């Protein structure tokens, strides 16, 4: 029997509210995750930590996001999108509020681990939900770029709010209290909204399970897109983890740009994700990926050639080229699969995303320590960027996912 997917809605037009709820979940997630770089120096001073110890504030939640995505992603398919999102938001909100009741670094680390687990839950649920409300993989890709655009805005607001707190001599923990309040409001909104239900009509379909998720790692589409995303993430985290350290040596005429380089990077990344909708309406996504990945690779190559004097302009500029690569690859990877598998495949992709975000900056740090300067870590990042470009050229020339994406559109249309 053929498998078809139909979407049933329990209200006249819940899609607008669902989209905005998803946008705000990603905004909230970015506020906390991308502000860690501002918090780490405070932790070192407050708890007398080494840089390795303090960096656990970045690695711990990423590790638990990876764990949650791989081992719990199937819950979005088994329990349903709404229950999975609600569970993730509940854990996130409680963990954030508990920041107000402790001054222990170990307990903060535990709470961040719980937050990572929660993000893995509600993010896989939200990504699967986008597939439910999209009518084609092209529409899904544009919506994914909008979602990641709001993530980009959150990445600007979170660090800015921490900076404001510190200038007012107020504890950085209030960032998490504010995120907890926002999360509670989102949980109430998620509870009140009627979600569309993806109904599968098939006699021989496998029920969602951890076994099904693990089998997806062997799937060429899931593995291929996951590895491409891991390469992209490795080039991106090099910027927001190590660029401030690289630019600390800069003493040229662009001091203001050097001071706000990370903010400029986040702003360009956010603007580019909203501009992605315009690009995708006019050009093929495969061709756009080649051009943007080439732009990233060139920014890194010329940084190695020109040193810190060129890096002060080129590395922030790379944010514009990076903007739509992650959401587009994420969308295409998910769209290769049937709707009832979107939670599981989103979890697999999220696992590789978080794993790369945790491991690649660590490798850069180790190389930098070994050779005595952070610029040597950027040699590795340049290798990641060039490999990503080669992968995008292969994707453009061979278009290996075309059959799966075309089949997805045919099933959605039915």
């Amino acid at each position: 029997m053929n498998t078809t997917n139909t979407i049933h809605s329990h209200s006249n037009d819940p899609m607008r509210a669902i989209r905005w709820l998803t946008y705000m979940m990603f905004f909230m997630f970015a506020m906390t995750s991308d502000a860690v770089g501002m918090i780490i120096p405070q932790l070192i001073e407050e708890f007398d930590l080494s840089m390795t110890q303090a960096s656990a504030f970045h690695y711990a939640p990423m590790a638990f996001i990876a764990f949650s995505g791989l081992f719990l992603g199937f819950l979005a398919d088994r329990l349903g999108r709404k229950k999975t999102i609600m569970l993730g938001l509940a854990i996130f909100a409680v963990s954030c509020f508990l920041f107000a009741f402790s001054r222990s670094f170990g307990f903060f680390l535990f709470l961040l681990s719980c937050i990572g687990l929660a993000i893995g839950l509600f993010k896989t649920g939200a990504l699967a939900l986008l597939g439910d409300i999209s009518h084609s993989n092209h529409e899904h890709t544009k919506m994914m770029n909008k979602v990641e655009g709001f993530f980009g805005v959150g990445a600007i607001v979170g660090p800015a709010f921490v900076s404001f707190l510190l200038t007012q001599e107020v504890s950085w923990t209030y960032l998490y209290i504010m995120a907890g309040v926002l999360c509670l409001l989102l949980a109430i909104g998620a509870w009140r909204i009627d979600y569309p239900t993806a109904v599968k009509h098939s006699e021989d379909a496998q029920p969602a399970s951890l076994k099904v998720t693990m089998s997806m790692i062997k799937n060429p589409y899931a593995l291929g897109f996951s590895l491409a995303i891991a390469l992209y993430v490795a080039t991106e985290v090099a910027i927001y983890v190590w660029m401030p350290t690289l630019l600390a040596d800069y003493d040229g005429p662009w001091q203001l740009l050097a001071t706000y380089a990370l903010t400029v990077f986040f702003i360009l990344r956010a603007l580019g994700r909203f501009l992605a909708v315009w690009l995708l309406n006019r050009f093929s996504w495969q061709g756009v990926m080649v051009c943007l990945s080439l732009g990233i690779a060139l920014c890194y190559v010329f940084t190695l050639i020109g040193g810190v004097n060129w890096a002060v302009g080129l590395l922030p500029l790379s944010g514009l080229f990076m903007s739509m690569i992650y959401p587009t690859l994420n969308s295409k990877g998910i769209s290769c699969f049937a709707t009832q598998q979107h939670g599981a495949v989103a979890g697999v992709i999220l696992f590789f995303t978080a794993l790369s975000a945790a491991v690649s900056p660590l490798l850069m740090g180790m190389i930098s320590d070994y050779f005595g300067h952070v610029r040597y870590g950027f040699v590795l990042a340049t290798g990641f960027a060039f490999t990503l470009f080669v992968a995008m050229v292969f994707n453009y020339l061979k278009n290996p996912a075309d059959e799966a994406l075309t089949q997805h559109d045919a099933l959605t249309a039915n």
Side-chain angles (χ1 to χ4, degrees):
M1 179 181 292
N2 293 330
T3 300
T4 59
N5 297 282
T6 58
I7 303 298
H8 301 289
S9 175
H10 301 293
S11 63
N12 292 330
D13 185 23
M15 302 308 170
R16 179 181 175 87
I18 286 173
R19 284 194 295 268
W20 275 100
L21 179 68
T22 305
Y23 297 155
M24 293 308 297
M25 280 192 287
F26 277 70
F27 173 86
M28 174 192 68
F29 163 34
M31 276 180 54
T32 56
S33 65
D34 284 23
V36 168
M38 299 290 296
I39 295 172
I40 285 178
Q42 304 303 312
L43 295 172
I44 293 174
E45 180 180 350
E46 184 176 350
F47 296 103
D48 192 25
L49 303 173
S50 68
M51 292 185 65
T52 301
Q53 290 171 325
S55 66
F57 238 59
H58 170 73
Y59 300 128
M62 289 299 167
F64 275 85
I65 290 173
F67 172 87
S68 182
L70 185 62
F71 293 103
L72 301 178
F74 72 92
L75 293 179
D77 301 321
R78 172 168 285 188
L79 298 181
R81 318 314 193 202
K82 183 171 184 175
K83 290 180 180 178
T84 304
I85 289 173
M86 288 287 296
L87 177 61
L89 291 176
I91 296 173
F92 190 100
V94 171
S95 300
C96 285
F97 286 132
L98 287 176
F99 270 87
F101 297 97
S102 177
R103 301 304 306 165
S104 164
F105 176 73
F107 189 64
F108 287 156
L109 205 57
F110 168 74
L111 293 179
L112 275 180
S113 300
C114 293
I115 285 174
L117 193 72
I119 290 170
L121 285 168
F122 73 68
K123 188 173 181 180
T124 51
L127 292 176
L129 181 63
L130 292 181
D132 296 345
I133 62 178
S134 301
H135 298 96
S136 68
N137 79 77
H138 184 69
E139 181 184 350
H140 187 267
T141 301
K142 292 193 293 183
M143 195 179 304
M144 189 77 78
N145 274 278
K146 287 183 182 178
V147 166
E148 292 292 342
F150 279 87
F151 180 94
V153 174
I156 299 169
V157 172
F161 184 65
V162 172
S163 296
F164 172 76
L165 291 175
L166 297 178
T167 58
Q168 300 300 310
E169 298 184 349
V170 177
S171 173
W172 54 266
T173 57
Y174 280 92
L175 169 71
Y176 291 92
I177 306 303
M178 185 179 76
V181 172
L182 177 58
C183 185
L184 186 61
L185 294 175
L186 292 176
I188 294 172
W191 173 65
R192 291 174 58 88
I193 293 174
D194 289 323
Y195 278 47
T197 304
V199 181
K200 182 186 67 173
H201 299 289
S202 177
E203 295 176 352
D204 57 354
Q206 285 184 286
S209 66
L210 178 58
K211 181 179 179 181
V212 172
T213 300
M214 298 304 291
S215 68
M216 279 190 176
I217 297 180
K218 302 176 184 178
N219 183 284
Y221 299 121
L223 183 60
F225 278 104
S226 293
L227 292 177
I229 287 172
L231 285 170
Y232 163 75
V233 170
T235 66
E236 183 190 58
V237 297
I239 301 294
Y240 66 78
V241 173
W242 292 116
M243 181 177 67
T245 304
L246 179 68
L247 297 184
D249 293 338
Y250 179 76
D251 60 357
W254 302 99
Q255 288 290 343
L256 187 63
L257 177 58
T259 301
Y260 294 99
L262 194 56
T263 300
V264 173
F265 170 80
F266 283 138
I267 289 173
L268 290 177
R269 190 183 66 172
L271 289 175
R273 282 174 175 169
F274 289 112
L275 289 173
V277 177
W278 180 85
L279 281 173
L280 290 170
N281 281 333
R282 288 161 176 79
F283 306 100
S284 73
W285 72 272
Q286 298 93 333
V288 172
M289 291 296 98
V290 171
C291 294
L292 294 180
S293 61
L294 175 61
I296 296 171
L298 290 177
C299 285
Y300 274 100
V301 168
F302 284 111
T303 289
L304 294 184
I305 295 173
V308 69
N309 291 321
W310 290 15
V312 69
L314 289 173
L315 292 184
L317 177 64
S318 69
L320 189 62
F321 300 121
M322 290 185 185
S323 55
M324 66 176 288
I325 290 182
Y326 175 76
T328 301
L329 292 179
N330 201 7
S331 169
K332 298 305 181 184
I334 293 173
S335 295
C336 286
F337 295 85
T339 305
Q340 67 270 14
Q341 296 176 305
H342 280 187
V345 69
V348 170
I349 292 174
L350 184 58
F351 168 77
F352 282 93
T353 300
L355 185 64
S356 179
V359 173
S360 54
L362 176 61
L363 292 176
M364 286 182 65
M366 293 171 64
I367 290 174
S368 300
D369 285 338
Y370 182 81
F371 289 101
H373 198 280
V374 69
R375 65 175 175 269
Y376 293 101
F378 277 87
V379 175
L380 177 62
T382 303
F384 289 140
F386 182 75
T387 306
L388 175 66
F389 169 64
V390 172
M392 293 303 96
V393 171
F394 173 81
N395 179 67
Y396 177 76
L397 296 176
K398 299 297 184 179
N399 199 13
D402 182 59
E403 182 179 352
L405 293 172
T406 301
Q407 184 180 20
H408 170 273
D409 281 347
L411 288 174
T412 305
N414 290 334

